[in-house]
Amino acid sequence: MRYLLIFSILYIHTAYAQQATKRYVGGYTTFTIPFEGDSVTFAVVAREGEQTKRKPIFLFRQGSLPIPLFTINPKNNRPSLTELPKTCYDHEAEYYSIMIAKPGVPLVVNDAYLDTLFSTRHRPKSDQYTRTYLSHNYLDYYVRQTRAVLDFVLKQPWADTRRVVLTGGSEGYHVAIKTAHTDSRITHLIAFSGGLEGRHQSIIRTERIKGYTGEYSPEQAQQSVENLQREWAEICRDSLNMNSIAGDPNRTTYSFSHGENLNYLLALKIPILILYGTADVGSSSNDILPLEFARRGKINLTLRAYPAHDHTFHKLTYGPDGKITERTYNGQAVERDYFSWLTSH
């Protein structure tokens, strides 16, 4: 596997950064700041000389896998933020959109890297699932990382601290929720495509439903659920283990399966928006949120479910036999929905 790395400065350094450094990459401003004896790099959607106006912050936490911050667009050979919602670019005049790099991952790659990553996601490769990534890929590390970036950003003259939006999807759903629970500087929370109960719990839900859709027999579904229950018991017996032969190590799975998201959300007083597709069975646990908020007389939750949409907001079309016949990407419409929500909250 080969990938293109642009500018040696764009590596995530293992040496301790003595002070914050600022670089320009295409239409973005990148900062590298000291963090826990090492450093963390993040990108702001702002070209050189553009950070003169004070604007609110829109900080986005991406999903799982060691996905680089930037991908080279083969059409124009320019970098773009790999997972930042495209609709963020429609709101450059209103917000500074920010993304944080994953630890131990090159910052800039070409599409071949991603093709290899997605095709081998259950078979980690030494050059993609690095030791640095595996040892830092857990919930509390990302929460601390997010707070460190906010510590820096919210001291800058270009940041309007009166409006700090934290958004996260999939793995980032959990990061955003726990960070909002622990950091009072966040004024708005948007979380999507995540299971309220936790990652491993969502996997069990998904396996169980296969016994009703015909993908498994009821007996096969039960066997799969029992296997996952036994797997969880093994994870709990060695929950800090950072080694992995295939998939995430125990520490990663354990940290994202904590089961406290409901309590974290109920404790918040800020406006909350939760979004998910109903075909994303692992996220269906969010269905109970309106009940729990209503039970406590809380009115700061907006819940939006998208019928027949999957984990990545592809709308699914089914044939007479119940099988999927078409997938149509609808993610940008969903993104527009949460920016629309922000205008009224």
Side-chain angles (χ1 to χ4, degrees), residues 219-289:
E219 292 76 19
Q220 288 173 322
Q222 179 61 28
Q223 183 62 53
S224 181
V225 167
E226 290 177 1
N227 288 340
L228 286 165
Q229 290 167 341
R230 284 191 290 270
E231 180 182 323
W232 178 249
E234 291 296 326
I235 289 171
C236 289
R237 279 191 280 270
D238 194 12
S239 62
L240 296 181
N241 192 320
M242 297 180 290
N243 298 315
S244 175
I245 298 175
D248 288 322
N250 288 1
R251 188 172 192 176
T252 300
T253 302
Y254 186 82
S255 71
F256 285 105
S257 306
H258 57 80
E260 292 294 330
N261 285 325
L262 176 60
N263 292 331
Y264 292 158
L265 289 169
L266 289 170
L268 294 174
K269 297 180 180 179
I270 61 175
I272 301 168
L273 174 63
I274 304 292
L275 313 96
Y276 59 101
T278 62
D280 181 13
V281 177
S283 296
S284 64
S285 50
N286 288 293
D287 286 341
I288 70 164
L289 279 173

Side-chain angles (χ1 to χ4, degrees), residues 284-324:
S284 64
S285 50
N286 288 293
D287 286 341
I288 70 164
L289 279 173
L291 283 66
E292 298 301 331
F293 273 69
R295 188 196 308 276
R296 295 159 178 82
K298 294 177 65 67
I299 58 173
N300 59 320
L301 170 72
T302 302
L303 189 74
R304 291 189 179 165
Y306 296 80
H309 284 60
D310 66 10
H311 187 71
T312 54
F313 294 110
H314 286 78
K315 187 170 184 179
L316 308 181
T317 301
Y318 297 88
D321 59 358
K323 295 183 178 180
I324 299 170

